[in-house]
Amino acid sequence: MDGNGRWAKERGQDRVYGHYEGVLSVREIVDACGDLGIGYLTLYAFSTENWNRPKTEVDALMELLVSTIKREIIDLDKNDVRVHLIGDLDSLPPACRDEMDEARRVTADNKGLNLIIALSYSARREIVEAAKKLATAAAQGQLNPADINERLFEDSLETAGFPDPELMIRTSGEHRISNFLLYQLAYAELYFTPVHWPDFRKKHLYEALLNYQGRERRFGKISEQIQSNSGTHA
Ligand code: IPE
Ligand code: MG
């Protein structure tokens, strides 16, 4: 979700105003994904690098996270959304961490959209932590290093149990991954749009999904192999 600050600046407003407006897009996109029957939506809300922003903006973002989740939790629950979190949650202000934990707890039994919020998230950190976990298990004799494979590694990531993303959307015209799900995005389709996040609404999501549906995902194979396997697909 990129471009909140620029969106606000273009309107002669403070960056924080863009974050407030961005919440309305989050609401609409979460609803749309639920309606479409999408299984998993990951929102990159705050990266570990975002801590380096001016303190006033970081504080405003943390407060916005708390007030938003507090306000939305009832509707999320009603819509059968299950909230998950990834990232360095220990680094969050206690009020924010507590509110997020509460959202997780309240929605734990829901079976609809899995909404994964990446907060204070860094993919490199996640990968290093996974390596550390496996190395520790090996050093303690609980794991034979020869048994480490992709499956085991994936189970050590914060996204253990979630499928790999099929589509990554980045708004606001930047063509970067910015330390987001580096391992999991290996075969994701990437979609970039110049639309700033506060302007990104249902219509733009549909455009992204239609674009995705028109792509041929070959996973390293050749086109003919994919077509002969997909005969029964609508
Ligand atoms: C994305 O918008 C929201 C967060 C990172 C929290 P930005 O704040 O990055 O907006 P720009 O990129 O400065 O326009
Ligand atoms: Mg940005």
Side-chain angles (χ1 to χ4, degrees):
M1 301 182 285
D2 198 12
N4 292 354
R6 277 164 284 167
W7 183 91
K9 286 276 157 218
E10 282 171 14
R11 285 157 182 79
Q13 301 276 356
D14 191 78
R15 295 178 50 84
V16 172
Y17 176 62
H19 297 315
Y20 277 84
E21 287 296 308
V23 171
L24 305 178
S25 296
V26 170
R27 226 205 127 105
E28 192 165 314
I29 298 307
V30 169
D31 279 351
C33 287
D35 291 346
L36 288 169
I38 288 172
Y40 295 81
L41 171 68
T42 306
L43 295 176
Y44 198 4
F46 195 87
S47 71
T48 49
E49 291 78 15
N50 287 149
W51 290 114
N52 297 322
R53 291 189 177 192
K55 183 172 175 337
T56 47
E57 182 168 343
V58 171
D59 289 350
L61 274 167
M62 289 300 141
E63 270 171 39
L64 183 61
L65 281 164
V66 173
S67 60
T68 302
I69 202 84
K70 222 181 222 164
R71 194 181 58 234
E72 299 294 333
I73 196 162
I74 294 174
D75 275 351
L76 288 170
D77 190 38
K78 224 184 283 164
N79 293 334
D80 211 19
V81 174
R82 180 169 178 190
V83 175
H84 307 265
L85 290 155
I86 57 172
D88 182 12
L89 305 181
D90 290 339
S91 66
L92 297 172
C96 185
R97 198 171 48 231
D98 291 351
E99 208 52 49
M100 296 297 155
D101 277 342
E102 178 70 0
R104 234 189 321 208
R105 194 186 59 75
V106 168
T107 62
D109 295 326
N110 290 347
K111 301 275 182 285
L113 175 70
N114 287 283
L115 176 62
I116 304 159
I117 307 173
L119 259 189
S120 190
Y121 176 81
S122 151
R124 286 187 171 176
R125 177 186 166 278
E126 178 190 30
I127 292 167
V128 169
E129 287 300 315
K132 215 187 280 178
K133 241 187 268 178
L134 293 170
T136 305
Q140 291 173 345
Q142 296 156 354
L143 172 68
N144 179 354
D147 291 337
I148 298 176
N149 54 24
E150 289 181 17
R151 182 67 216 284
L152 200 59
F153 199 86
E154 285 154 17
D155 286 346
S156 307
L157 294 169
E158 295 172 24
T159 51
F162 304 147
D164 284 343
E166 293 173 293
L167 170 64
M168 188 208 70
I169 301 172
R170 181 168 186 156
T171 58
S172 209
E174 307 292 357
H175 299 94
R176 286 193 289 278
I177 307 290
S178 297
N179 209 0
F180 184 55
L181 300 177
L182 294 180
Y183 184 98
Q184 299 87 338
L185 288 174
Y187 271 101
E189 296 294 328
L190 308 182
Y191 181 84
F192 300 97
T193 168
V195 176
H196 293 318
W197 178 253
D199 283 333
F200 190 89
R201 297 301 165 95
K202 231 172 233 192
K203 165 180 155 258
H204 304 99
L205 175 72
Y206 296 161
E207 280 167 9
L209 294 174
L210 285 170
N211 180 292
Y212 167 81
Q213 287 176 329
R215 298 190 190 187
E216 184 181 60
R217 306 189 74 202
R218 292 192 290 276
F219 299 97
K221 296 183 184 174
I222 67 167
S223 192
E224 287 74 7
Q225 290 174 294
I226 304 300
Q227 279 161 17
S228 64
N229 284 337
S230 63
T232 55
H233 277 221

